[in-house]
Amino acid sequence: MTRPIAVAISARIAAIRLPVPGALYHLPRPLAFRLTPVARPEEVRTGLADRAVMLLNDLSPGTDYWFQADGLEPFEFRTRPCTALVEAAEFGLVEGTDLADIDSARHNAEALARAVRAVPEGGTLRLAAGLWTALPLRLASGVTLHLAKGAVLRGPALRTGWPILPARDGTGHMLGSWEGLPDACFAAPLHAVDAERLTIEGAGVIDGSGDAGDWWTWAKESREGARRPRGLHLIRCRNVALLGFTIRNAASWTVHPQGCDGLVAAGLSIEAPPDSPNTDGFNPESCRDVRIEGVRFSVGDDCIAVKAGKRGPSGEADHLSETRGVRVRHCLMERGHGGLVIGSEMSGGVHDVTIEDSEMLGTDRGLRLKTRRGRGGAISRVAMRRVRMERVLTAISANAHYHCDADGHEGWVQSRVPAPVGTGTPVIEDVDVHHLAHAAGVFLGLPETPIRGVRIRRLRLHSSAPEAVATPPVMADHVRPMRHERIVAEHADISCDDPALLSSASVSIPSVRDAP
């Protein structure tokens, strides 16, 4: 028998992975479990687990537990100690439903800031059940923010008094950002800068109120000299755990770790309406060692978008650093433009990204790699294993002619004629896909740096929608419409264990394929 695996353990919550064969987001069948405090066996807790990554809530700090689930070996773990439990309500919070009440939002932000300062290293700030509207709160190192069941922490509808993060801090490092470049942005309702040993957890809700104000009406613009805020923005943080909460209605990207090292997200629910602009679910940018497990996504843009910054219009690169080591397991992408996306901001390089044992239902794309001339950087060692897709338009796409930015449709970006190789030439290599169920793929590389080392194994196509309409499958110019295609590739090296899946057809419209 195999043993359960601890994904993350805080003082009051344990995220446990149940390694059952065939488990994706859900288990093949529910498992009965028992949870027993070792020193208090009379307090045994029983239940049924239906997800591969389960959260055990309401645990006692500094306590040994014995966990048993049907068919798995017994597993013992110990919760972290907690130096103090601080109740946010004791600092004079005002509960209310008026999202336009800026005075109350400012009052609550000041009260929460005092509460954060009152939490000792290793302590917990608990936000009790209630509807709490506050201007953005900055979290600190060594603090656990515990959102109790029924607690909703939300931003106000108006921008009056909303703090702004400058593009760079006093040392010149990127602070505020927008689509991979330093840029002033409104602070996220919850954010942290240079924090370590930070935990945000609980069964409560973080609500960015993107649907309440005018945030979603100026998606690519600035107001008051700043870009839209994220839902949760973590900048240069180390050893962060995000456990169990729901985060919804972000003004732009929902969860944005930027320059972080050592982050685990488990059991979250990330939500945004399908028509909300650029409300990506989880966007690790220039990060190392990121684990995303048992997270449910239903958003207005990409579910997970792995990024590494964007080279500036004049080649600026001092803000760039790589993303390396992203692991996605047992997640559910119920809607979104892409399930797991890399790019298009990838100038610092993205390496060692794996998604496995997950489900994508109704996303436009499954695994999606996107870049273009001018970005530079490299994408390498990408793997997708045991992923089930339903109602996905294109399962796998790699596009080196992505027509983003103002010059994205220029001839030098979209030309299929080889261009000189330089610092702005992107590279895609070493993509490994196997145990994948559903549709096929499109790979559109650059003639000067073809996509290399793509390996596809055990791809199973179960059905194609009879009502499908022929449409270009990737966002690039001169791409022909496709319907019920197999794997098509241009300027790409593809290896497949089933040669029948490889098509000899071109991706581009034949008349422009080799045009100067």
Side-chain angles (χ1 to χ4, degrees):
M1 290 192 297
T2 56
R3 297 183 63 199
I5 298 166
V7 178
I9 297 176
S10 71
R12 293 173 175 82
I13 293 179
I16 306 296
R17 186 193 316 148
L18 304 178
V20 175
L24 299 176
Y25 177 75
H26 292 97
L27 295 172
R29 60 177 181 82
L31 295 183
F33 73 86
R34 295 167 59 89
L35 178 68
T36 308
V38 173
R40 303 186 303 276
E42 70 280 1
E43 296 179 12
V44 63
R45 185 192 308 182
T46 61
L48 285 176
D50 63 351
R51 299 177 185 177
V53 177
M54 65 176 300
L55 264 65
L56 300 169
N57 292 283
D58 302 320
L59 305 181
S60 299
T63 301
D64 292 311
Y65 284 91
W66 191 250
F67 177 84
Q68 297 167 286
D70 286 351
L72 299 176
E73 291 183 16
F75 172 63
E76 187 173 351
F77 66 89
R78 182 175 179 82
T79 54
R80 292 202 328 240
C82 178
T83 57
L85 179 62
V86 177
E87 293 287 350
E90 295 178 359
F91 290 79
L93 292 180
V94 175
E95 189 174 3
T97 59
D98 187 355
L99 283 169
D101 185 353
I102 291 296
D103 289 338
S104 292
R106 182 181 297 107
H107 169 87
N108 283 344
E110 293 169 351
L112 287 169
R114 291 195 303 272
V116 168
R117 291 193 295 270
V119 179
E121 173 80 22
T124 298
L125 175 63
R126 181 179 181 273
L127 184 64
L131 192 57
W132 314 104
T133 303
L135 285 166
L137 172 67
R138 178 169 172 172
L139 297 173
S141 293
V143 170
T144 293
L145 174 62
H146 186 92
L147 304 167
K149 184 177 181 179
V152 179
L153 177 63
R154 62 182 185 175
L158 306 178
R159 291 190 300 279
T160 306
W162 199 293
I164 293 174
L165 299 177
R168 297 180 184 267
D169 62 17
T171 64
H173 292 104
M174 183 166 70
L175 189 62
S177 68
W178 183 254
E179 293 187 347
L181 289 171
D183 203 347
C185 65
F186 288 98
L190 273 182
H191 60 283
V193 182
D194 294 320
E196 300 184 7
R197 304 172 307 284
L198 173 65
T199 298
I200 305 171
E201 65 175 25
V205 175
I206 301 167
D207 193 322
S209 295
D211 58 338
D214 68 351
W215 301 111
W216 291 345
T217 67
W218 47 283
K220 299 289 186 180
E221 303 173 22
S222 295
R223 298 284 171 91
E224 287 85 55
R227 301 284 191 166
R228 293 184 293 157
R230 317 302 117 86
L232 171 61
H233 198 178
L234 304 169
I235 303 169
R236 299 192 303 270
C237 295
R238 296 173 59 87
N239 299 323
V240 175
L242 310 175
L243 305 176
F245 58 86
T246 294
I247 181 166
R248 67 192 185 201
N249 296 328
S252 60
W253 296 349
T254 306
V255 180
H256 182 200
Q258 174 184 314
C260 295
D261 190 350
L263 182 148
V264 58
L268 306 183
S269 182
I270 298 178
E271 304 170 357
D275 58 349
S276 53
N278 301 111
T279 52
D280 295 22
F282 200 107
N283 289 13
E285 180 175 21
S286 299
C287 293
R288 285 176 170 265
D289 186 19
V290 176
R291 291 179 291 137
I292 305 169
E293 301 205 20
V295 176
R296 173 188 165 271
F297 297 87
S298 182
V299 294
D301 208 315
D302 295 327
C303 295
I304 299 174
V306 182
K307 300 177 179 290
K310 179 169 66 177
R311 196 174 300 273
S314 300
E316 300 91 339
D318 66 317
H319 61 289
L320 299 178
S321 60
E322 70 176 12
T323 290
R324 185 178 295 274
V326 177
R327 300 289 181 268
V328 181
R329 295 186 181 98
H330 299 296
C331 287
L332 173 62
M333 292 80 166
E334 289 189 305
R335 191 187 61 235
H337 290 181
L340 175 67
V341 178
I342 300 177
S344 64
E345 303 94 322
M346 42 64 69
S347 299
V350 177
H351 312 285
D352 300 319
V353 178
T354 299
I355 178 170
E356 55 192 5
D357 301 312
S358 294
E359 300 175 75
M360 299 178 184
L361 309 178
T363 61
D364 294 345
R365 307 290 183 267
L367 173 64
R368 185 184 190 192
L369 283 58
K370 52 185 183 179
T371 184
R372 47 154 285 185
R373 292 184 178 108
R375 290 285 155 94
I379 298 171
S380 72
R381 294 184 296 280
V382 178
M384 179 162 68
R385 309 182 185 105
R386 299 179 301 278
V387 175
R388 183 173 68 88
M389 300 183 189
E390 292 184 8
R391 305 185 308 279
V392 173
L393 300 182
T394 303
I396 313 163
S397 70
N399 177 13
H401 292 272
Y402 186 61
H403 53 52
C404 52
D405 293 340
D407 61 352
H409 295 281
E410 297 288 338
W412 68 275
V413 177
Q414 295 298 329
S415 173
R416 304 305 196 264
V417 176
V421 175
T423 58
T425 305
V427 174
I428 300 174
E429 59 186 1
D430 294 335
V431 180
D432 187 10
V433 179
H434 60 86
H435 289 75
L436 172 67
H438 196 54
V442 176
F443 297 82
L444 176 58
L446 295 175
E448 62 269 26
T449 54
I451 298 170
R452 299 190 296 266
V454 178
R455 297 170 297 278
I456 299 176
R457 302 287 182 269
R458 298 182 65 181
L459 173 64
R460 300 189 303 277
L461 308 182
H462 292 292
S463 63
S464 297
E467 70 276 12
V469 177
T471 308
V474 292
M475 293 176 63
D477 294 344
H478 317 307
V479 173
R480 66 181 178 87
M482 300 181 193
R483 178 178 183 269
H484 298 171
E485 294 278 0
R486 291 168 291 166
I487 298 170
V488 293
E490 190 170 289
H491 304 302
D493 171 28
I494 311 293
S495 168
C496 183
D497 63 350
D498 183 357
L501 291 172
L502 297 174
S503 171
S504 60
S506 68
V507 177
S508 299
I509 297 171
S511 62
V512 301
R513 182 177 176 186
D514 299 312

